Each structure stands twice: as structure tokens, then as C-alpha cells.
Amino acid sequence: MVERLYKLRFEIFLVVQLAILFGSLIVPARLFESMVLPILYLISISAGILMISKKRIIAWFFVLLFAISAFIFGSSMIYRQESETNVLIRLTIYFVFHFVVTWNIIQQVWKAEYVSKNVVLGLMSGYISLGFLAFFLFMSIELTNPGAFKGILLETEDVNLFSEAILYYSYITLLTIGYGEIVPAIPIAQKAAILVGLVGQFYLVIITAVVVEKYIAHSSFKD
């Protein structure tokens, strides 16, 4: 069963990522935030553990870590009742987990001899994962330095709307679009924004270029 799921690891992970990002376009926003999103995060964790399941020690470490996290803090990512310390610990756990999973995805894509469907899906998942990493990074900075990010989208008391705005800013920064509704207001936030923009460009220029080169070489060999 696990072996069958492992073969579909990129498909599963990518579908869950897209559901987290765009599920509120289909499911009513309040229902999505309160009930669907926490479940999707748990599925995302499971899919991520599946992705690194070949590295058993690391996989079991995260299983234990998330079991403890779920027991102490509950199943959803951010609750109004939670203290900032609890939320920060949770964000740190998510950041470390997604960093390991993203690095593993990049390694699998990089080491692939041929560009198959899995490699393309892995390439997409890796890039989307960078956006989630940026989100956890920015949220941690905002929690430890209130007001680190300014903008009209952040002028709300609703935690869900605030986190959605930071998630939006994370991908806008990764894509180097920069509409300007949210801006980093302190040096550490500015450096983090620069880092995210650079990593996004390096991914496109290096990782994607390597995959394209392998595809061209493989196509030429077949011809």
C-alpha cells in the first residue's frame, strides 16, 4: 500500500498544495478556514512524510514531532486561543518540515536521469513548497516583530484574513511581482523578502533549467 502511494507521491502532494492555496475559491471561505483547511494541513503533513518515507529515521522523527504537536496544540494551524509562543513553535515545526520535504523534492528532481511526469510534477511541487516556506518565515517574523509587515491587507483583526494576506504576499514575493499592498517595514523583514525573491529566481534559473536540459538531451537521444 505504501509503495503504491509512494509512486503517486508527487501527484498527492501537488493536489493537496493546490487545494490549500485555492480551495476557498470552491468552498465558502468561512467553512474552508474553520473546517477544511486544518484537515488539508494534516493531509499535507502525511503527503510530505510519504515524500521522505525512504529516509526512515527522518520520516519517523517528523511523525513523532507532529504527534506531539497535534496533542499539545490541536489539529489546526492557528487558533485564536493559542498563545503567540505556541503558534511560533508550530510555525517553526512547519518551516523545518517543509524545508526538509522541499529539499528532498529538489534532490529527487535533480537526480532524475530522465524527465518523466513525476519529475515535472515534482518540479511544480518544489516551487509551490518554496511559497509555503516563505509564508512560515514571514509569519514567524511578524509574530516576533509585530508590525514587521505593513499594508492595507494587514489592517484587520481577523487572524484568518491576516494569515491569508501573508500567504498572498509570500507568493507575490516569490514570483517577484510586487504589487505593493504589503511591504516589509523593518530590516529583518526586508532581508527575508530579498531571500525569498532570490531563492525563487535561483529555482527557476537553475533547477528548472537542469530539468529542461535533461528533457532536451533525452529527446535528442530518442530521435
Side-chain angles (χ1 to χ4, degrees):
M1 180 66 176
V2 175
E3 285 297 324
R4 284 172 120 192
L5 288 175
Y6 185 77
K7 292 179 180 179
L8 299 172
R9 62 193 183 283
F10 291 118
E11 289 95 327
I12 295 171
F13 197 59
L14 180 60
V15 168
V16 175
Q17 287 178 316
L18 294 175
I20 291 173
L21 287 176
F22 305 114
S24 59
L25 296 176
I26 301 172
V27 180
R30 290 190 177 278
L31 176 63
F32 180 79
E33 292 288 344
S34 62
M35 296 187 65
V36 179
L37 191 58
I39 295 173
L40 287 176
Y41 272 118
L42 291 177
I43 296 174
S44 175
I45 293 167
S46 302
I49 291 173
L50 177 66
M51 189 74 68
I52 60 176
S53 60
K54 294 296 182 181
K55 299 182 178 180
R56 296 187 181 277
I57 295 177
I58 297 175
W60 279 109
F61 170 75
F62 279 113
V63 168
L64 178 61
L65 193 64
F66 280 112
I68 295 171
S69 176
F71 178 76
I72 297 175
F73 306 124
S75 60
S76 66
M77 183 178 168
I78 295 176
Y79 280 120
R80 291 174 184 268
Q81 295 85 359
E82 282 188 316
S83 68
E84 287 188 2
T85 302
N86 287 356
V87 175
L88 185 59
I89 292 172
R90 181 177 305 199
L91 287 171
T92 302
I93 292 172
Y94 274 99
F95 179 85
V96 173
F97 174 72
H98 275 79
F99 180 84
V100 172
V101 172
T102 303
W103 181 251
N104 192 265
I105 291 172
I106 292 173
Q107 283 185 315
Q108 292 185 45
V109 170
W110 185 273
K111 293 178 180 178
E113 295 183 14
Y114 303 106
V115 180
S116 62
K117 178 188 71 173
N118 272 352
V119 172
V120 174
L121 293 175
L123 189 69
M124 295 167 62
S125 291
Y127 193 69
I128 294 174
S129 293
L130 292 178
F132 282 111
L133 279 174
F135 168 67
F136 299 129
L137 176 62
F138 292 155
M139 282 295 293
S140 298
I141 291 173
E142 177 63 31
L143 280 173
T144 53
N145 302 273
F149 298 93
K150 302 286 188 181
I152 56 174
L153 297 181
L154 300 178
E155 295 174 0
T156 176
E157 298 296 324
D158 190 314
V159 175
N160 290 328
L161 290 178
F162 188 91
S163 61
E164 282 290 323
I166 294 293
L167 181 64
Y168 163 79
Y169 174 71
S170 301
Y171 280 95
I172 292 300
T173 305
L174 180 68
L175 294 166
T176 64
I177 296 174
Y179 288 121
E181 306 100 325
I182 301 174
V183 295
I186 63 174
I188 188 174
Q190 294 163 358
K191 295 290 177 62
I194 293 172
L195 177 63
V196 169
L198 284 175
V199 169
Q201 291 304 299
F202 288 156
Y203 188 95
L204 294 176
V205 172
I206 299 174
I207 308 299
T208 305
V210 168
V211 172
V212 172
E213 188 274 333
K214 286 181 180 180
Y215 176 78
I216 293 173
H218 185 218
S219 298
S220 300
F221 179 76
K222 286 174 66 177
D223 292 340

